[in-house]
Amino acid sequence: MAPAISLQLYTVNAALAPDLDGGVRRLAEIGFDTVEAFAFVDRAPELRAAFDAHGIAAKTGHAFLVEESIPLPDGTVMTAPSHADTFAAAAELGIEIVIDPFVGPEHWTTREGVERVAARLNAAAAEAAEHGMRVGYHNHDHELRPRIDGRPALQVMAELLDPGVVLELDLYWATAAGIDVARFVEELDDRIVAVHVKDGPMRDGISTAQVPTDQTPAGQGDVPLAEALAAATALEYAVIEFDGFDGDVFDGVAQSYRWLTAALRGEAVSA
């Protein structure tokens, strides 16, 4: 069964913030019936109403599970919602996999740090299981650049996870970290059930420290997306995302949707 094509809603948040219903309607018009929610704990009823109105479901969602305090780019610190509130909101939305989107770079440079992240994900997964949900982790580049015993820190962490904990591999950030993403997907096998389908030109220095604004629609950059998708035999969700896009983001999303639809069908794809 082919994976569902989804969209990380943060991509179009600037449009959703003033007009949630209108933004969700535009996604449905592109063809989406699945999305990935974020910051959903305090707005689950509003999101559910918009999704239901336009035939969309949120099957995955980003929420902080490992850290209780999250430093923000503006220098402030956010307190994460409790696990109980997170899973209750996820249940209201019908989310199947709650994915932690970020654990800071300082936790990936030592085995002890990686072990701590894995232990907290495992504990969260036990809680999630009581609600019929799974837990996952989503990477950037900083989980893959450090090497522990010769392997990327994220791979070491994956080996410490309970069987039910999954990964959502961001193919753009993994490529930026110098990872052969198709080979990496093969090595982690059924641990990877979701990917972020994101593209752009690759060059030295790309990192989350300064997110590029020249990302491109899928299939138009340097990320070997088609090869990675073909290697992902356990893939359930292929999630389109832009961190930074210099253009009409809905047009970029629509182009990515068309490319990804063809790629998942095994058809010849072009920009």
Side-chain angles (χ1 to χ4, degrees), residues 75-153:
T76 61
V77 176
M78 182 188 85
T79 300
S82 70
H83 287 187
D85 288 346
T86 295
F87 294 133
E92 183 173 354
L93 287 170
I95 289 172
E96 298 175 352
I97 310 176
V98 179
I99 301 169
D100 192 304
F102 184 85
V103 175
E106 67 274 17
H107 298 293
W108 300 92
T109 58
T110 65
R111 175 170 286 277
E112 292 75 17
V114 169
E115 288 174 347
R116 171 183 172 274
V117 175
R120 293 196 171 198
L121 288 171
N122 288 339
E127 295 179 61
E130 297 176 2
H131 301 270
M133 300 173 199
R134 288 176 286 170
V135 156
Y137 185 76
H138 168 270
N139 67 283
H140 293 83
D141 59 309
H142 63 258
E143 301 93 339
L144 289 157
R145 295 186 190 275
R147 296 272 166 164
I148 297 172
D149 298 330
R151 292 170 298 160

Side-chain angles (χ1 to χ4, degrees), residues 67-81:
E67 302 293 355
E68 296 175 359
S69 298
I70 298 91
L72 300 177
D74 63 4
T76 61
V77 176
M78 182 188 85
T79 300

Side-chain angles (χ1 to χ4, degrees), residues 179-225:
I179 297 296
D180 179 336
V181 287
R183 180 177 176 182
F184 193 73
V185 167
E186 290 176 351
E187 290 177 349
L188 271 65
D189 195 29
D190 58 1
R191 184 71 73 178
I192 296 177
V193 303
V195 294
H196 269 196
V197 179
K198 185 186 306 177
D199 212 344
M202 282 291 131
R203 56 187 177 272
D204 291 340
I206 291 178
S207 80
T208 52
Q210 186 170 358
V211 176
T213 60
D214 60 351
Q215 291 174 350
T216 67
Q220 298 182 30
D222 297 329
V223 180
L225 297 175

